[in-house]
Structure formats: structure tokens, C-alpha cells
Amino acid sequence: MGRLDGKIAIVTGAGSGLGRAAASRFAAEGALVACVDIDGEGAQETVTAMGEQGLVVIADVTSEADAERMVAETIDHFGPPTVLYANAGIGGRGAAAEVDLETWQAVLAVNLTGVWLSAKSCLPAMIEAGGGSIINQGSITALVGFSNSAAYSASKGGVISLTRQMAVDYAPHNVRVNAICPGVIETPLLRRSWALAQGVEESEVDDLLAEHWHPQIPMARLGQVDEIAAMAVYLASDEAAWTTGSILTVDGGQTAM
Ligand code: NAD
């Protein structure tokens, strides 16, 4: 018996990093999983590893038409979604006085508008199916001030507020809405943004990451994608039946310091 037997899940940003890890865990726990990404090759790789339990949907979460199609394709292939993990996100560095408007708008579009559009598109089918679980991808940057991340932090702060707001509106429909706030996790996004910021190759970032982050994390290491996927499985499952409007921090103790 899997913990997610009978669930139909949509995972956005499933072609890489945290989304791929969660989609794979969902399938391993028995769910049918629509793996949504703007990067079709990445999504295909995720689905190839899970076989017939997976479906590739190439979609841009910033487009309302794409978000609606993502749900329509899921319904056609598997049935109505009962789990949505709105995980797709991008980075974007810069302090408030430095970040350019284009970066600000791009980051808000994917990280906040994309989360809202994904929920907006899923909710009617989820409610008709009798309820479900929406998991939004936050970040600890929404909870404490991180340098040089005005747009990113603002987008994640919006995700936290939207999560609490939607939890209130949709509890009567048996839809739970929670957010995960990961700390610093080893993913392609982290490596890319560090290589860019430090002007080094991605292969050279390991030592820099350890030197910078380990002293700031009580558990003295970066997180792994499976450690966030484990929280996503809990929130997707019926074990979390009374958990809604919660902001769950998984960060090795970083925000406890
Ligand atoms: P990643 O770059 O490895 O994966 C993100 C995926 O989202 C990619 O496959 C990308 O193609 C997809 N994507 C980007 N824009 C999209 C769009 N418009 N429509 C559909 N798909 C799109 O990144 P990751 O580190 O796995 O991050 C995933 C999420 O976790 C993001 O929301 C990120 O902000 C959040 N997060 C990451 C960390 C970390 O340390 N890695 C920490 C906290 C929160």
C-alpha cells in the first residue's frame, strides 16, 4: 500500500530539482503524476523513470491558457487532480535598488502568478472530485531577510500569504492548502545562481557553497531534494487531513538561529 494510492497529482517544475524528486516520490507512493514543465526534455526524463504512472505536460505556468491545458490534459489522461504541487520557480538576484524591472516581473510571474494560476485552474476539478491538497513552494527567504534577493523574497512572501488566504476560502470544499519553505537545497537552480553570482563554473561551486552556508545551518550541511519531497508526500497524503494554512519550514534549523 502506497501512502498516495488513488491520488492524481500535478507537479509543476517537475523536470528538475525539487519538482522531479517530489514527482518521483509521489509515483513511488502510488500516485498518478502529471509532470509539468516548460522544459519538455526534463519532464520527459522524470516521466521515463516512473513509467505509466507519469504524464508529460509541456506548459508555462505564467500563461493562463497553459495552466488550463495542464489540468485538461491531466483529466483526459488520468482523471481530476486531487493533489497540486505548485513548485515551478526561478531565481533572480539583486537588492531593491539594483534589480531591474524585467527581472522583478519575470520572477513574480513564475513564482507567484504561476502558483496562483495553477491553483485557479485546478480548483474547480478538485472541488468537484470531493477535495484535495494544494502544496505551494515557498522558501525561507519569505521568512527572514536574505541579501540581494528583493524580487525572489517578495515573490515567496506572496506565496505564503496566498497559501493562508486560499486555505481559508477552500477549507469548506475539503481542499487543504499549505506551503513548504525549503532552506538551502542542492539543486541545479542553486548551483547555477551561485556560479553566476561568483563568476565561476558550476563544477567549482561546491567548496564555495560549503564555506558560505554550513556555518549558517545548525545541521551544518545543505539539504537534499528528497528531504523536501518527504514533506510534500506528507502534505499530499491523508495523514495531513487536518493540516491546512500551514507554512512548513524544512531547513536544517537555519531559521531557528
Ligand atoms: P530547478 O531550476 O532545478 O527546477 C525548476 C523547474 O521549474 C525547472 O525544470 C524549470 O524548467 C521549471 N520552470 C521554470 N519556469 C517555469 C515556467 N514558467 N513554467 C513551467 N515550469 C517552469 O529549481 P529548484 O531548486 O528545484 O526549485 C524548485 C522550487 O523550489 C522553486 O520554486 C524554488 O524557488 C524553490 N526553492 C528552491 C530552493 C533551493 O535551495 N534549491 C530553496 C527554497 C525554495
Side-chain angles (χ1 to χ4, degrees), residues 30-240:
L32 302 171
V33 191
C35 295
V36 180
D37 210 292
I38 201 166
D39 166 15
E41 269 180 40
Q44 184 59 62
E45 262 183 57
T46 306
V47 167
T48 299
M50 64 177 72
E52 292 196 346
Q53 278 172 264
L55 168 73
V56 174
V57 179
I58 302 173
D60 178 347
V61 295
T62 68
S63 151
E64 187 159 18
D66 275 20
E68 285 171 359
R69 181 174 48 78
M70 141 187 121
V71 175
E73 287 184 21
T74 304
I75 293 172
D76 280 353
H77 199 79
F78 291 138
T82 48
V83 174
L84 165 66
Y85 189 6
N87 156 80
I90 58 171
R93 289 182 65 76
E98 290 148 14
V99 66
D100 57 76
L101 184 59
E102 199 185 335
T103 302
W104 175 275
Q105 287 173 334
V107 170
L108 269 287
V110 181
N111 295 7
L112 179 57
T113 307
V115 165
W116 164 61
L117 285 176
S118 300
K120 185 180 187 214
S121 306
C122 275
L123 275 161
M126 203 177 259
I127 290 167
E128 209 182 311
S133 169
I134 295 178
I135 304 158
N136 293 328
Q137 192 68 291
S139 162
I140 58 170
T141 61
L143 308 175
V144 290
F146 272 75
S147 62
N148 282 316
S149 63
Y152 185 80
S153 299
S155 71
K156 296 298 185 179
V159 168
I160 302 303
S161 297
L162 179 64
T163 296
R164 292 200 176 102
Q165 194 286 326
M166 290 199 303
V168 171
D169 276 347
Y170 293 100
H173 299 281
N174 197 33
V175 175
R176 298 180 292 102
V177 189
N178 296 286
I180 302 176
C181 286
V184 188
I185 315 296
E186 271 189 270
T187 63
L189 181 134
L190 181 79
R191 301 177 71 81
R192 263 197 316 275
S193 61
W194 265 72
L196 197 68
Q198 305 290 325
V200 299
E201 292 297 316
E202 269 185 59
S203 55
E204 297 172 68
V205 295
D206 286 334
D207 289 346
L208 292 173
L209 284 169
E211 199 179 309
H212 181 84
W213 289 114
H214 291 190
Q216 301 184 47
I217 302 172
M219 299 205 77
R221 64 173 176 84
L222 301 185
Q224 299 300 314
V225 291
D226 287 340
E227 293 170 320
I228 305 303
M231 178 61 85
V233 168
Y234 166 70
L235 291 173
S237 78
D238 296 338
E239 294 157 35

